[in-house]
């Protein structure tokens, strides 16, 4: 039996080393600033969405001119994420038609993301990316908003819109009427933190810091991100 002891022990050490290799630190966060922006939620103001661009070659990442832009119908630029808002309609209990703004964060067809944690403290602590984190990244469900229109009313149908956004990685999960904030916690402690692989193949961490900030930004949503690697 003694002859079997060393090989078994060596084998155990080998498998332990393999388990540890799955969590080896593969990317360390570079020296990039944390950026915060208020994005307009009013669909009559933010008509075509706001494009978020984490990594861009035109200027240094410490600058802000190209970080985001409110889009036009003719815009053909490539962004990592679109903050898109439409007004959805539904019937209340009295049978009257009502509307609400439905903002969502939608990944581009070339962008991957995944949820890794929650809260500002986790956001700050996320300074390295492992292979297992990268393996969780997924492409988003691409939404055709034309298919979400009620043929009878010609308006966006809230039920169809909610169902489509539930399939998205971020979607509308950050909204105050959807996000669950347990007693004793603040919104900033439970908003999701996402790892994003950019169009260029870089990485950034992103979270909605506040869905509805205080005045004068109550009609905007505060997003926060930091590039980890270009």
């Amino acid at each position: 039996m003694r002859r079997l002891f060393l090989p078994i022990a060596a084998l155990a050490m080998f498998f332990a080393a393999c388990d540890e290799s799955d969590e080896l630190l593969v990317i360390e966060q570079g020296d990039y600033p944390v950026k915060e922006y208020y994005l307009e939620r009013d669909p009559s103001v933010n008509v075509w969405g706001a494009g978020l661009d984490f990594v861009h070659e035109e200027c240094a990442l410490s600058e802000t001119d190209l970080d985001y832009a409110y889009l036009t119908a003719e815009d053909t630029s490539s962004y990592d994420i679109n903050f898109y808002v439409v007004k959805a309609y539904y019937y209340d209990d009295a049978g009257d038609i009502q509307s609400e703004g439905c903002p969502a964060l939608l990944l581009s067809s070339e962008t991957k993301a995944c949820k890794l944690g929650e809260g500002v403290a986790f956001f700050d602590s996320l300074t390295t990316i492992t292979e297992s984190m990268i393996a969780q990244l997924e492409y988003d469900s691409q939404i055709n908003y034309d298919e979400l229109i009620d043929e009878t009313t010609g308006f966006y149908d809230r039920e169809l819109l909610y169902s489509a956004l539930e399939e998205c990685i971020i979607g509308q999960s950050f909204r105050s009427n959807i996000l669950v904030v347990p007693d004793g916690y603040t919104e900033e402690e439970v908003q999701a933190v996402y790892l994003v692989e950019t169009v260029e193949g870089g990485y950034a961490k992103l979270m909605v810091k506040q869905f509805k900030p205080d005045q004068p930004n109550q009609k905007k949503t505060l997003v926060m991100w930091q590039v980890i690697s270009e």
Side-chain angles (χ1 to χ4, degrees), residues 99-120:
S99 66
E100 67 174 33
C102 288
L105 286 165
L106 310 172
L107 305 187
S108 78
S109 61
E110 303 174 74
T111 308
K112 294 181 182 180
C114 65
K115 176 183 174 181
L116 289 183
E118 298 175 346
V120 173

Side-chain angles (χ1 to χ4, degrees), residues 54-81:
F54 302 123
V55 176
H56 32 77
E57 299 176 352
E58 293 86 347
C59 67
L61 296 188
S62 59
E63 300 178 28
T64 61
D65 290 349
L66 300 179
D67 287 344
Y68 78 98
Y70 288 101
L71 310 181
T72 66
E74 294 76 26
D75 198 305
T76 59
S77 300
S78 179
Y79 293 92
D80 296 305
I81 293 179

Side-chain angles (χ1 to χ4, degrees), residues 22-230:
D22 291 339
E23 290 297 333
L24 288 178
L25 305 182
V26 295
I27 299 176
E28 293 280 357
Q29 180 173 283
D31 185 21
Y32 302 106
V34 175
K35 298 183 175 182
E36 297 185 5
Y37 296 106
Y38 291 96
L39 302 178
E40 180 64 59
R41 287 201 319 276
D42 186 342
S44 63
V45 177
N46 182 7
V47 178
W48 300 103
L52 312 184
D53 189 32
F54 302 123
V55 176
H56 32 77
E57 299 176 352
E58 293 86 347
C59 67
L61 296 188
S62 59
E63 300 178 28
T64 61
D65 290 349
L66 300 179
D67 287 344
Y68 78 98
Y70 288 101
L71 310 181
T72 66
E74 294 76 26
D75 198 305
T76 59
S77 300
S78 179
Y79 293 92
D80 296 305
I81 293 179
N82 188 2
F83 181 74
Y84 193 52
V85 188
V86 298
K87 188 170 288 188
Y89 291 79
Y90 63 98
Y91 291 96
D92 62 19
D93 294 338
D96 298 323
I97 194 165
Q98 303 291 341
S99 66
E100 67 174 33
C102 288
L105 286 165
L106 310 172
L107 305 187
S108 78
S109 61
E110 303 174 74
T111 308
K112 294 181 182 180
C114 65
K115 176 183 174 181
L116 289 183
E118 298 175 346
V120 173
F122 180 82
F123 179 95
D124 293 339
S125 71
L126 182 59
T127 58
T128 55
I129 306 174
T130 66
E131 291 285 0
S132 63
M133 293 176 183
I134 294 174
Q136 297 176 55
L137 293 168
E138 295 180 338
Y139 290 108
D140 214 348
S141 298
Q142 298 299 303
I143 295 179
N144 183 348
Y145 273 79
D146 291 339
E147 297 177 352
L148 308 178
I149 295 176
D150 186 307
E151 294 181 358
T152 302
T153 63
F155 297 144
Y156 288 111
D157 181 279
R158 187 176 69 166
E159 184 175 343
L160 293 175
L161 188 57
Y162 271 43
S163 179
L165 291 175
E166 284 178 0
E167 301 299 317
C168 295
I169 294 171
I170 304 177
Q172 61 175 349
S173 59
F174 54 86
R175 290 180 56 183
S176 57
N177 62 333
I178 294 176
L179 178 71
V180 176
V181 181
D183 291 341
Y185 288 82
T186 65
E187 177 188 1
E188 293 183 11
E189 292 176 301
V190 298
Q191 283 283 8
V193 178
Y194 298 91
L195 175 65
V196 180
E197 182 177 343
T198 72
V199 172
E200 299 83 1
Y203 295 96
K205 52 186 175 181
L206 165 77
M207 71 175 291
V208 171
K209 194 172 183 180
Q210 288 181 297
F211 171 68
K212 184 186 293 185
D214 297 330
Q215 293 286 8
N217 296 304
Q218 192 174 18
K219 294 184 178 180
K220 299 180 180 181
T221 289
L222 179 60
V223 298
M224 175 170 69
W225 76 72
Q226 185 175 22
V227 172
I228 296 175
S229 171
E230 296 181 61

